[in-house]
Amino acid sequence: MSLPKFIIGMMFALAIVIGWSYFDGASAGTILLRAIVCAVIIQAGYFLLVFAMIGTTTPTSADKAREADRGTILNKVAEGEKLSARRSLH
């Protein structure tokens, strides 16, 4: 999950908690406390999710990454187009 999606989802979750607390008749302090606790739980969950995703991936050697990048670049080049650092002047 990307960070912008996470932030939007977190804002919706906090809005739901705040609305629920308000309609439940909670005091302003209780509403604030519930919102803070909810935000901390969501942040901890996101951190653990990202940590688990990083922990389960296998490291890729630099040579394999370079070859993969080179392959995607070559696939995008049109037939007959030359790959060079020189630019024509005409």
Side-chain angles (χ1 to χ4, degrees), residues 26-49:
S27 67
T30 304
I31 293 173
L32 182 64
L33 181 65
R34 287 178 181 173
I36 290 172
V37 168
C38 180
V40 168
I41 290 171
I42 291 172
Q43 285 283 348
Y46 185 72
F47 173 77
L48 291 174
L49 176 70

Side-chain angles (χ1 to χ4, degrees), residues 9-32:
M10 184 171 150
M11 291 301 158
F12 275 117
L14 289 175
I16 290 169
V17 168
I18 290 170
W20 161 65
S21 296
Y22 176 76
F23 289 117
D24 191 36
S27 67
T30 304
I31 293 173
L32 182 64

